[in-house]
Amino acid sequence: MPGFRTPDAVVVGGGATGLVVAHELTARGFGVLILEPGIRHDQSIFGADVPELLHQDGLLRWGPIGLDQPSWPRELEGIAFAPQVPAVGGLDVVGWNVRPRATPRSVEHGWPLRYSELVPWYERIEELTPVRVPERLAPKDQRFIDACVSLRLAHLEGADADRVGWKIQPLAALSAAESFADRASATGMLEIRNQTFAVELLHEATADGLRRVRGVVYRAADGSLVEQDADTIVLCAGAIETPRLVLASALGAPGVAGRGLTCHLPDLISGILPEPIHLDAEPASLARCEFPGYGSIFPIRLDPLSFAIASSLGDPATTASGPWNWSGWSTGSTLKRRIEAWPRTLTLGMSIDDRSRAGNGVRLSETQDEHGAVPRVRYDPDDDSIRRREWLARRAGEILLAAGADPGSIHRADAPTALLHAMSTMRMGADPDLFAVDLDGRLHRATNAFVADTSIFPNAIGGADPILTAQAMAARIAAGLARRLS
Ligand SMILES: Cc1cc2nc3c(=O)[nH]c(=O)nc-3n(C[C@H](O)[C@H](O)[C@H](O)COP(=O)(O)OP(=O)(O)OC[C@H]3O[C@@H](n4cnc5c(N)ncnc54)[C@H](O)[C@@H]3O)c2cc1C
């Protein structure tokens, strides 16, 4: 470990994107310090079941490593669940390895760059991770594809298809820690300072009225506050903590930083088939159906406990108003029957192309934790996002029926909002009155502070899972940064 005094860049957050920034800068010979509250975990958990992870002390808990101190509270409005994980790899540690690209139309309509400009960065990440389309399908995925074919949905080939149809899901073979942290560490130019939590960016005025960051204050594992010099800072703390840090440091443009949260408004629908379809262990999801403008639908493997939890979310059961028999929570004997039928249950996830709204996002609460004002996160979908969700839920119900599910067994979770994919709280765009960062990822009002995580997404990228696009953008931002540093 180099033990830098003033590295070329300080990266806040060693998650899915921070590790890419570190990889790209160290590969070009620059010294990088990552501040990361978590530690490096055993990577064999990558792609594992979430309940399995719950047994690993404190892994899914947003707080100091170990369970002897309280976790870090977050205030949620209109959101049931907002997972955050202190770990080298961030949320990728508990994530699935699904790696679709954004839908081209979502980038063409809403992003300040062309989709074609993103493609070389996609290719770079796909090569490093590496991302591959699996050759063999599990029974649940085959059943899903057969149903799509019987509904005359087209087979989409290639990563950039932008029309309705099904495709086999591209998967990453390695986690972010394996692909990027290990390679970056091998250069001798990376220090990951674990169990450190950035609490404030120190900045000063420049002659032209901008702000220049000169350092970052972090809380170390022993509770002390440490001031770290920084010539360049890259924020990759995720879509909740990055705006929190910017707002707490009074660095972002008022009324812009923290605004615009998107989350894909996920939902689940399941139906019982005549025969078992689950293998003992199978990848989480190997197929997806794209409905550009609405989002995507994909079969998912939920173990029995996750399935029971997912079936008990939502509001109390509501009357059916779609191709499902009932929706909302299941309890008692109904839930017991559902769990007994789990081996024969096909479960579909839905990821909605939800709209960014200024009223949704992160602001600072009056409540304090040990790091300062707690983030208050709000999400209230607009009517358009709700309409898209309803439309997709109907398509998902039709796919279940076409797969042979008993019509009386179809259940929609009508899940309350979960921030599995938090995005768009520091949106990228040219106008500083509307967007937090410019096309290089630089904060509009600062000379040397950048953002390179999912918070820069101007929209919800069409409903595609975010890591690949976020990492592609992180690589692009790091390459621009390297040119400035040279
Ligand atoms: C169960 C689950 C499954 C998922 N599966 C997929 C999938 O298959 N495919 C996909 O594309 N996406 C998936 N996602 C979403 C994906 O994991 C996230 O979108 C992605 O990890 C976000 O990357 P990030 O770098 O913005 O944030 P993160 O990966 O969360 O990294 C943020 C890092 O910053 C650190 N940090 C936070 N605050 C501070 C601070 N103040 N100082 C220093 N460090 C800080 C955190 O400890 C963390 O390591 C999944 C998410 C969940 C919850």
Side-chain angles (χ1 to χ4, degrees):
M1 292 269 174
F4 291 118
R5 184 163 164 72
T6 309
D8 294 305
V10 176
V11 176
V12 177
T17 56
L19 295 177
V20 171
V21 172
H23 177 270
E24 297 298 291
L25 290 177
T26 54
R28 292 169 171 88
F30 297 103
V32 175
L33 167 65
I34 292 182
L35 300 177
E36 167 54 51
I39 55 172
R40 176 79 182 255
H41 292 278
D42 172 8
Q43 290 304 306
S44 64
I45 59 177
F46 182 57
D49 290 337
V50 170
E52 198 178 304
L53 302 174
L54 289 169
H55 298 302
Q56 307 205 8
D57 280 357
L59 183 56
L60 271 183
R61 169 179 173 270
W62 187 231
I65 299 299
L67 295 174
D68 52 335
Q69 298 169 64
S71 54
W72 300 317
R74 297 296 176 252
E75 291 182 2
L76 306 177
E77 245 181 280
I79 299 163
F81 180 48
Q84 291 181 273
V85 172
V88 173
L91 275 173
D92 182 50
V93 165
V94 298
W96 299 343
N97 50 350
V98 168
R99 294 291 182 271
R101 295 183 181 184
T103 59
R105 75 180 67 181
S106 68
V107 175
E108 295 294 338
H109 302 285
W111 282 58
L113 44 81
R114 307 297 310 263
Y115 183 80
S116 55
E117 292 173 66
L118 253 179
V119 169
W121 302 106
Y122 276 138
E123 288 170 349
R124 174 154 180 79
I125 301 295
E126 285 163 346
E127 188 188 318
L128 288 167
T129 313
V131 174
R132 299 273 181 271
V133 175
E135 284 171 11
R136 299 179 68 173
L137 296 176
K140 69 174 187 322
D141 305 284
Q142 188 62 59
R143 198 69 178 236
F144 173 81
I145 288 176
D146 292 346
C148 292
V149 170
S150 75
L151 290 171
R152 300 184 182 283
L153 293 163
H155 178 202
L156 307 177
E157 289 186 85
D160 306 318
D162 202 8
R163 59 197 176 95
V164 175
W166 63 270
K167 63 185 180 191
I168 301 181
Q169 186 100 271
L171 301 181
L174 298 174
S175 70
E178 290 163 314
S179 332
F180 302 107
D182 290 349
R183 285 196 188 97
S185 296
T187 64
M189 299 300 285
L190 172 65
E191 178 188 351
I192 301 181
R193 209 167 284 169
N194 296 112
Q195 297 185 264
T196 59
F197 196 102
V199 296
E200 190 185 355
L201 304 172
L202 305 171
H203 49 96
E204 59 203 11
T206 63
D208 44 5
L210 296 173
R211 306 299 300 177
R212 181 189 162 276
V213 173
R214 60 177 175 78
V216 51
V217 179
Y218 66 82
R219 191 173 292 281
D222 63 5
S224 62
L225 287 175
V226 178
E227 202 175 307
Q228 167 66 46
D229 294 343
D231 281 341
T232 297
I233 190 125
V234 189
L235 304 180
C236 295
I240 297 176
E241 304 301 323
T242 288
R244 181 218 195 176
L245 186 56
V246 168
L247 292 168
S249 311
L251 191 60
V256 175
R259 301 286 182 93
L261 175 70
T262 57
C263 69
H264 290 158
L265 205 50
D267 202 357
L268 292 172
I269 186 163
S270 59
I272 301 173
L273 303 178
E275 68 284 324
I277 46 158
H278 285 301
L279 304 173
D280 278 347
E282 61 193 8
S285 183
L286 293 174
R288 74 193 287 130
C289 196
E290 299 286 2
F291 295 94
Y294 293 92
S296 42
I297 299 172
F298 40 89
I300 52 176
R301 180 186 191 277
L302 292 178
D303 60 276
L305 176 57
S306 305
F307 177 69
I309 294 169
S311 304
S312 332
L313 298 167
D315 289 328
T318 52
T319 317
S321 60
W324 46 87
N325 199 35
W326 87 104
S327 67
W329 71 6
S330 315
T331 52
S333 55
T334 313
L335 180 58
K336 188 165 172 277
R337 280 199 300 277
R338 288 305 281 185
I339 296 170
E340 280 164 0
W342 173 81
R344 295 186 286 123
T345 302
L346 179 58
T347 303
L348 305 183
M350 284 170 254
S351 183
I352 285 64
D353 182 9
D354 62 329
R355 291 279 168 95
S356 176
R357 278 181 111 178
N360 291 335
V362 177
R363 55 198 163 87
L364 298 181
S365 160
E366 285 171 11
T367 310
Q368 303 264 323
D369 68 8
E370 68 200 88
H371 305 127
V374 161
R376 187 169 179 80
V377 194
R378 176 177 195 274
Y379 185 83
D380 177 23
D382 67 353
D383 291 345
D384 214 22
S385 302
I386 293 170
R387 257 195 307 276
R388 293 170 187 207
R389 193 189 207 225
E390 293 305 307
W391 189 91
L392 266 191
R394 280 164 210 284
R395 300 293 83 72
E398 288 160 12
I399 293 173
L400 285 174
L401 289 173
D406 172 358
S409 75
I410 296 185
H411 171 248
R412 178 179 172 195
D414 211 357
T417 305
L419 289 197
L420 301 178
H421 298 167
M423 306 163 289
S424 313
T425 50
M426 299 288 295
R427 298 167 69 220
M428 175 180 274
D431 184 345
D433 292 331
L434 297 176
F435 297 97
V437 300
D438 69 11
L439 272 63
D440 297 326
R442 189 175 54 91
L443 279 175
H444 272 298
R445 294 173 140 206
T447 57
N448 61 344
F450 296 78
V451 181
D453 58 25
T454 56
S455 51
I456 64 171
F457 288 9
N459 59 21
I461 63 168
D465 307 58
I467 286 188
L468 184 67
T469 301
Q471 291 182 332
M473 286 301 287
R476 178 181 176 274
I477 289 168
L481 199 50
R483 286 194 295 275
R484 290 165 68 107
L485 291 171
S486 302

